[in-house]
Amino acid sequence: MKICYHKVLFALAAYLCALNFVFFAAVLDGLKKAEDPVLLGFTIFAGVFFILLSTLYVLAPPRLIKITGSFFIAVSAFSAYFMYNYGALLNQDMMITVLETDNKEAFSYLNFKLILWTLFLVILPIGLLIALKIEYKKGIKTAFLRGFCGFVLSLSFAGVLVLLNSQSVIPFFRNNSNLKKLHLPYYPIISFARALNSKLSPPKPLEMIAADATRIPNDASKPKLLVFVLGETARAASYSALGYSKNDTNAYTKPFVAANKAAYFEALSCGTLTAVSVPCMFSHMPRVAYDDDINAQNAIDFLASTGVDVSWYGNNNGGCKGVCNRVPWLYFGKEFDDILITALKNQLSNYENQPKDAIIVLHVLGSHGPTYYQRYPNEMKKFTPTCDTSDLAKCSSDEIINTYDNTILYTDYLISEFIAELEKNESFEGSLIYISDHGESLGENGIYLHGLPYAIAPDEQTHVPLMFYSKNADLMSRIKKGVSFSQDNIFHTLLGHFGVSSKYYDKNLDMFER
């Protein structure tokens, strides 16, 4: 038995509408403030259906309906999974992160719920669509005319509905502008296309902005060594050193704080994704003016070009996002970050015979989710009960928080070990800066992980920990008091610490210049 092509299109449009349940849930939430929620709701629901139908008439003509339909189902279903379960917004920055994700990180999202989701919402509907025997009208001209008429009629229905209620529909979407970012399958497809175009576009010539940089010779008795620990997915809200009370997540560095050798601060991140925050914090551009299309030398380049010895060690599978491309770097890809302790020891041993001003960047895997339980060894499982799965919906809030807090505690242990190496090294004036790239949501207001657009991202994703340690008591006393720090301070603080002069250096943004 064959089924009419037009009936299949209607059914496919209805199924794609159903997969837009996150979008419609947001619509229903917005309708609470509407004067006539029933009429406005009907207009939006019907309008979305007819817009989807008109799209299918154009992009899923006879003989292509099974291919296009399968693609739309897969995109919509998988997008809905991450939007519903993690509160993800699939914009261009998120899609760039997807393109840069390695197999290890990708498989960390695999769980039983995703398998069931894939089976029932992707494989079965696609299998049914492929198995259908669809009746097509003979003749290309006839098929084209019928398809064109279907497109015009469905788009006209949508247009008439909107026009008849334009006084309500237009203000509604203007006041709820983020709704367009929830619409499937359009938004993720457009975002992915933009991200792919960005990745495939030839890199722009490097702007040699460090050409004017000079460095004041270090006349101290010992060369300066700065260990820069670049954190991952650590939020300030979970740091006991910053007032968090549920778990003591800074137990290991607490003695250094008590001895006035270290201090913690809350800082604002440049973005909510590693792909944005890491290049931004090392850039001369502040967050509000940051443009990733500008390919310019960064703080690491400034230091290297003025004679500071630079080395970069990473255990973060996301890489350095281009920041370390022009200096020596090494990536480990180990399960736990303690490999960086060995890396630091080895690098310090390399300096034994010829100490010099140097910066060592240690990029940790940190608290990257959703498999928080895989980010620390068993002996660091201090806070229980824990959430030992990537399916966070299976866990209580307490379990998720405990597991995440264990990752913070493990990073705190690593930092204490890094400091211990600096403490016993007599060849350098040793200091350490720790800052996370972005924060993390742990279920607050139904939002998990990170990556929301900065304008609407909660504080949990944009407020990150910043820590400074130094053997130099005078330097510790020079930390600016009563000011708010952000990742905008990093570029200028690094240059200032090593005495680098440049027109791009702003002492007002240097953490140690008063």
Side-chain angles (χ1 to χ4, degrees), residues 40 128 170 216 226 239 274 276 317:
L40 181 56
L128 178 61
I170 294 174
I216 302 171
L226 177 64
Y239 271 64
T274 305
V276 176
N317 51 21

Side-chain angles (χ1 to χ4, degrees), residues 372-440:
Y372 306 119
Y373 68 100
Q374 294 180 347
R375 300 292 168 254
Y376 52 87
N378 194 54
E379 58 267 26
M380 283 291 162
K381 191 175 182 178
K382 305 293 186 181
F383 312 126
T384 57
T386 55
C387 176
D388 298 338
T389 174
S390 62
D391 186 1
L392 302 181
K394 285 186 174 181
C395 303
S396 67
S397 175
D398 192 54
E399 290 170 334
I400 294 171
I401 291 171
N402 283 336
T403 313
Y404 180 81
D405 285 354
N406 283 328
T407 70
I408 301 296
L409 182 67
Y410 180 50
T411 299
D412 193 65
Y413 159 74
L414 295 173
I415 293 173
S416 72
E417 290 295 302
F418 300 151
I419 292 175
E421 291 300 317
L422 295 177
E423 288 267 289
K424 65 186 182 184
N425 189 295
E426 298 298 331
S427 301
F428 290 97
E429 178 195 295
S431 302
L432 179 146
I433 290 177
Y434 165 72
I435 190 169
S436 181
D437 55 356
H438 54 75
E440 185 86 329

Side-chain angles (χ1 to χ4, degrees), residues 138-411:
K138 294 182 180 180
I140 296 178
K141 185 177 180 179
T142 302
F144 174 79
L145 288 174
R146 286 177 177 267
F148 180 75
C149 289
F151 164 73
V152 171
L153 286 172
S154 53
L155 194 61
S156 297
F157 275 121
V160 169
L161 285 169
V162 171
L163 286 173
L164 288 176
N165 297 281
S166 60
Q167 73 279 8
S168 300
V169 173
I170 294 174
F172 179 81
F173 279 98
R174 183 178 295 140
N175 294 330
N176 298 274
S177 57
N178 282 315
L179 283 174
K180 64 181 180 181
K181 299 175 182 178
L182 303 176
H183 199 189
L184 304 174
Y186 306 110
Y187 191 68
I189 292 175
I190 293 170
S191 296
F192 187 82
R194 289 173 176 169
L196 191 61
N197 179 65
S198 175
K199 294 292 289 183
L200 295 178
S201 298
K204 294 183 178 180
L206 181 67
E207 294 184 21
M208 309 298 288
I209 63 172
D212 77 323
T214 57
R215 190 160 68 93
I216 302 171
N218 181 10
D219 57 2
S221 59
K222 295 180 181 180
K224 292 181 178 180
L225 171 65
L226 177 64
V227 174
F228 189 97
V229 185
L230 180 54
E232 170 68 49
T233 319
R235 66 186 203 170
S238 295
Y239 271 64
S240 59
L242 294 172
Y244 177 61
S245 59
K246 184 181 187 301
N247 295 313
D248 188 2
T249 53
N250 297 117
Y252 291 98
T253 57
K254 187 186 298 182
F256 299 107
V257 176
N260 294 321
K261 289 185 175 182
Y264 276 92
F265 306 92
E266 187 171 313
L268 285 175
S269 67
C270 283
T272 60
L273 289 167
T274 305
V276 176
S277 287
V278 171
C280 176
M281 79 167 79
F282 288 98
S283 166
H284 68 286
M285 295 175 280
R287 181 188 68 80
V288 293
Y290 178 70
D291 184 352
D292 58 6
D293 284 335
I294 297 176
N295 184 25
Q297 289 178 298
N298 56 58
I300 298 298
D301 297 313
F302 272 76
L303 299 182
S305 69
T306 53
V308 178
D309 191 78
V310 178
S311 53
W312 186 296
Y313 295 97
N315 196 48
N316 189 301
N317 51 21
C320 69
K321 306 305 179 187
V323 175
C324 66
N325 284 1
R326 294 168 292 278
V327 298
W329 61 271
L330 182 62
Y331 167 68
F332 296 105
K334 299 296 183 180
E335 184 178 11
F336 302 123
D337 286 325
D338 54 4
I339 185 64
L340 296 174
I341 299 175
T342 304
L344 177 60
K345 290 180 178 179
N346 291 339
Q347 187 63 38
L348 289 176
S349 68
N350 293 339
Y351 291 137
E352 284 181 358
N353 297 326
Q354 192 177 5
K356 62 186 80 173
D357 286 353
I359 180 172
I360 303 172
V361 181
L362 304 174
H363 191 185
V364 303
L365 185 55
S367 305
H368 199 285
T371 51
Y372 306 119
Y373 68 100
Q374 294 180 347
R375 300 292 168 254
Y376 52 87
N378 194 54
E379 58 267 26
M380 283 291 162
K381 191 175 182 178
K382 305 293 186 181
F383 312 126
T384 57
T386 55
C387 176
D388 298 338
T389 174
S390 62
D391 186 1
L392 302 181
K394 285 186 174 181
C395 303
S396 67
S397 175
D398 192 54
E399 290 170 334
I400 294 171
I401 291 171
N402 283 336
T403 313
Y404 180 81
D405 285 354
N406 283 328
T407 70
I408 301 296
L409 182 67
Y410 180 50
T411 299

Side-chain angles (χ1 to χ4, degrees), residues 80-118:
Y81 174 83
F82 287 99
M83 291 164 63
Y84 174 70
N85 288 287
Y86 299 115
L89 204 56
L90 306 176
N91 57 11
Q92 181 178 340
D93 289 336
M94 181 64 78
M95 289 303 180
I96 289 176
T97 299
V98 170
L99 289 171
E100 295 176 348
T101 298
D102 62 8
N103 292 336
K104 184 178 179 181
E105 183 177 351
F107 278 107
S108 70
Y109 290 92
L110 184 63
N111 55 57
F112 188 62
K113 176 187 281 188
L114 179 56
I115 293 172
L116 290 179
W117 192 287
T118 303

